[in-house]
């Protein structure tokens, strides 16, 4: 199963925190400290999802999202913006640039995983998980 999450984030502490929370929950984290590297890694590693900081050097998150959307092979990969911008207009701007959703900074360790998970592709529509532990004899 693809459990790779690409995190494009230039702030070391934020990257560290997201990596910690994701790895603790069974995801493999690929980190990129700028947009160019992030786009390269998105294409080469085909992650399950991309967490994208907005305030990045040189190429900001809006530009990165727009560039990622040009690659049809990444169609099914949600882009989740991680933004400290509180203004409604900025949210709309990142969503129209191609983001699937956004998570607000500062990252809250208690809610980060739940927030992120709502944007992940839904794989199972059946009751397999529930039945696994039902102990049929
Ligand atoms: Mn940043």
């Amino acid at each position: 199963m693809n459990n790779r999450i690409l995190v494009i984030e230039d702030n070391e502490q934020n990257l560290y925190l997201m990596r910690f929370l994701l790895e603790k929950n069974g995801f493999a984290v690929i980190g990129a400290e700028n947009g160019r590297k992030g786009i390269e890694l998105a294409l080469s590693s085909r992650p399950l999802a991309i967490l994208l900081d907005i305030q990045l050097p040189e190429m900001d998150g809006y530009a990165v999202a727009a560039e990622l959307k040009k690659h049809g092979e990444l169609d099914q990969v949600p882009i989740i913006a991680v933004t400290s911008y509180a203004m409604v207009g900025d949210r709309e701007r990142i969503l129209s640039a191609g983001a699937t959703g956004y998570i607000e900074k500062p990252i809250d360790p208690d809610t980060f995983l739940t927030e992120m998970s709502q944007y992940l592709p839904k794989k199972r529509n059946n009751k397999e998980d529930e039945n696994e532990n039902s102990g049929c004899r």
Side-chain angles (χ1 to χ4, degrees), residues 9-11 53-56 105:
E9 167 65 84
D10 64 317
N11 180 290
D53 181 29
I54 299 304
Q55 291 169 295
L56 290 166
K105 282 184 187 172

Side-chain angles (χ1 to χ4, degrees), residues 12 47 58 63 76 115 118:
E12 261 180 53
E58 293 167 51
Q76 305 303 313
E115 287 184 72
Q118 70 181 309

Side-chain angles (χ1 to χ4, degrees), residues 73-118:
E73 64 268 44
L74 297 174
D75 254 4
Q76 305 303 313
V77 183
I79 300 168
I80 306 157
V82 183
T83 174
S84 51
Y85 291 172
M87 289 170 62
V88 172
D90 292 318
R91 292 174 184 173
E92 284 166 358
R93 193 176 158 208
I94 191 60
L95 294 177
S96 65
T100 310
Y102 55 83
I103 295 175
E104 271 183 30
K105 282 184 187 172
I107 290 154
D108 181 345
D110 293 330
T111 58
F112 176 72
L113 254 292
T114 312
E115 287 184 72
M116 188 200 71
S117 299
Q118 70 181 309

Side-chain angles (χ1 to χ4, degrees), residues 1-6 22 25-29 46-49 123:
M1 190 194 117
N2 179 3
N3 66 341
R4 295 182 299 280
I5 306 285
L6 171 62
L22 289 165
N25 285 275
F27 293 100
V29 173
R46 300 294 178 86
L48 177 66
K123 285 216 181 94

